[in-house]
Amino acid sequence: MGSLSDLQAVDHTAWDRLLQENVSSEGFVDYPGFAKRKKDLDAYLDYLGDNEPKASAPQNVRLAFYINLYNAATVDLILENYPLKSIKDIDNPWGKNRIRMGNDRISLSKIEFGILRKMNEPRIHFAINCASYSCPKLWNRAYTAEGIELQLQQAAMGFINDESKNRFTEEEIFLSPIFKWYRGDFMQKRSLISYLQPFTRVEIRETAKINYLPYDWSLNEKK
């Protein structure tokens, strides 16, 4: 399959279809269902491998591309090792260069740290999914260049207001460790509380005590 011209958008329809068929609205994944469609998943990953956007492409195009690539490659990694209890049961799940991009192979870490985080869009942390219960949920729709702003805002609202992940009172907040691990991404010239405040109806005091909840790495599997 040849590469797209600069004027053509990357088509994420195939991934969108797979997600709708195999991921619940709560973000739980039917891995055996995905396994039955492994050829379609492989074809989509091959298509992305042939059509990486240029560094000069608009940011919304690149955000949608790399978020979908990360999530599809993560599902593929789980399928290659299924059944398992946690992505952490896999040897070096994020560091190995497993994902073909053109003539190279890259890792999940490269997508997250080398590409997505460099775009200075902290909401990516609510969109990429590490196949674990405490991760932001895997959305059952593909991200698109046209819809990315609204999709990222919905992902942020959904994750921050999920009481199994974060809880807020005026005086004390209990947060996902994601806000500790990537603290600098959220705090660009502001406090963590001032980042969170627009997403929650609770009036959090700037002096509120910050606690971090345990992280559950068990597989985000449909039971």
Side-chain angles (χ1 to χ4, degrees):
M1 194 184 290
S3 64
L4 297 170
S5 76
D6 289 347
L7 298 174
Q8 284 179 285
V10 181
D11 183 1
H12 298 292
T13 312
W15 178 230
D16 191 65
R17 196 176 300 123
L18 286 168
L19 288 167
Q20 287 186 69
E21 288 176 9
N22 298 294
V23 183
S24 74
S25 57
E26 296 83 26
F28 296 114
V29 182
D30 178 3
Y31 288 105
F34 259 118
K36 290 175 188 165
R37 299 288 302 277
K38 183 78 164 66
K39 282 185 182 171
D40 296 321
L41 179 60
D42 290 344
Y44 173 67
L45 286 166
D46 275 343
Y47 168 76
L48 295 187
D50 289 332
N51 291 291
E52 183 173 25
K54 292 181 177 173
S56 57
Q59 178 154 309
N60 60 333
V61 170
R62 289 181 294 120
L63 278 168
F65 181 92
Y66 290 110
I67 290 169
N68 289 331
L69 174 62
Y70 187 98
N71 290 340
T74 298
V75 169
D76 191 55
L77 175 62
I78 297 299
L79 293 181
E80 284 173 7
N81 294 276
Y82 193 83
L84 73 170
K85 292 196 167 129
S86 168
I87 191 169
K88 287 193 152 188
D89 296 341
I90 301 168
D91 178 47
N92 196 9
W94 298 287
K96 276 193 184 167
N97 293 327
R98 296 183 168 92
I99 305 152
R100 185 180 68 80
M101 270 294 107
N103 296 321
D104 293 327
R105 289 198 169 264
I106 62 173
S107 66
L108 289 166
S109 286
K110 169 68 177 175
I111 299 170
E112 180 177 2
F113 293 91
I115 301 172
L116 281 169
R117 287 184 73 198
K118 290 184 174 174
M119 294 190 207
N120 291 321
E121 173 47 85
R123 292 173 299 175
I124 61 145
H125 296 297
F126 314 126
I128 57 175
N129 177 269
C130 65
S132 304
Y133 186 76
S134 286
C135 290
K137 74 179 187 182
L138 180 61
W139 264 32
N140 61 358
R141 300 303 301 258
Y143 286 82
T144 64
E146 312 77 54
I148 192 83
E149 173 57 35
L150 179 59
Q151 289 173 318
L152 286 175
Q153 196 64 5
Q154 288 174 328
M157 289 291 290
F159 180 73
I160 290 170
N161 291 293
D162 178 347
E163 290 192 354
S164 72
K165 312 282 199 306
N166 304 282
R167 297 195 295 278
F168 303 96
T169 67
E170 283 182 31
E171 303 286 352
E172 193 167 17
I173 62 178
F174 297 83
L175 298 179
S176 163
I178 285 170
F179 291 107
K180 178 167 62 175
W181 299 335
Y182 303 108
R183 196 178 178 97
D185 292 12
F186 299 108
M187 290 180 68
Q188 301 160 357
K189 297 182 181 172
R190 66 190 157 213
S191 71
L192 187 54
I193 286 169
S194 64
Y195 178 82
L196 292 163
Q197 185 61 77
F199 294 101
T200 175
R201 291 181 179 166
V202 178
E203 288 290 334
I204 312 166
R205 295 199 177 158
E206 196 58 47
T207 54
K209 184 182 177 193
I210 300 175
N211 309 278
Y212 293 98
L213 296 166
Y215 205 82
D216 183 350
W217 286 101
S218 56
L219 196 65
N220 60 342
E221 186 164 20
K222 194 173 179 182
K223 296 291 190 275

